[in-house]
Amino acid sequence: MAQLPGVFNAKENEKMTDFSPVPAGWYKAEVVKSEMKNTSAGTGKYLNLQFKIIEPEAHVGRVFYVLMNLVNPNPIAVEIAQKELASICAACEIEELEDSTELHGIEIGVRLSVKAGDANWPPKNEAKQYKPASEVEFEEEGGSPFTD
């Protein structure tokens, strides 16, 4: 038996979020959280962006994460991260970025893929492309919003 630190009222707390991946395709999303973190090796830093899906309706509120190695001893990892951040900034119509919070709350289009899981990790979404939200179109009801 484990004594809790107090009475836990389940009705006063949010339930767990579904972390299974959403289907591959285009979504409208916005950055809701961001932070720079140290890499596990301690030799660099990465920008961790948490996105929340805004459209389509069936997936509103779902989250996915984008990690970019902006400080890393591997110059290729840094180059990839800089290209991805430049694409996000372009979709947000931001030319210069000093603080990641400047990205928060700006609706953009994100094309997600689904990366298969393995013995150590479950399947997850990966961002593959970004564009302004105004360029994302969904088909009429009954059609699929998951087209390029």
Side-chain angles (χ1 to χ4, degrees), residues 52-93:
K52 181 174 72 173
I53 294 175
I54 299 168
E55 278 188 72
E57 183 66 35
H59 302 290
V60 168
R62 297 290 300 278
V63 298
F64 61 93
Y65 298 86
V66 173
L67 283 63
M68 293 168 278
N69 287 295
L70 295 174
V71 179
N72 195 288
N74 181 341
I76 295 172
V78 173
E79 180 183 355
I80 291 168
Q82 289 174 340
K83 287 179 179 180
E84 185 164 18
L85 186 55
S87 297
I88 292 169
C89 287
C92 292
E93 299 178 349

Side-chain angles (χ1 to χ4, degrees), residues 2 14 36 40 50 56 74-75 87 96 101 114 122 126-127 134 136:
E14 288 186 39
M36 287 295 293
S40 58
Q50 179 183 349
N74 181 341
S87 297
E96 292 184 351
T101 59
V114 177
E126 288 188 339
S134 61
V136 176

Side-chain angles (χ1 to χ4, degrees), residues 5-17:
V7 176
F8 179 80
N9 186 331
K11 290 181 182 179
E12 293 176 359
N13 292 277
E14 288 186 39
K15 294 181 179 81
M16 289 177 56
T17 304

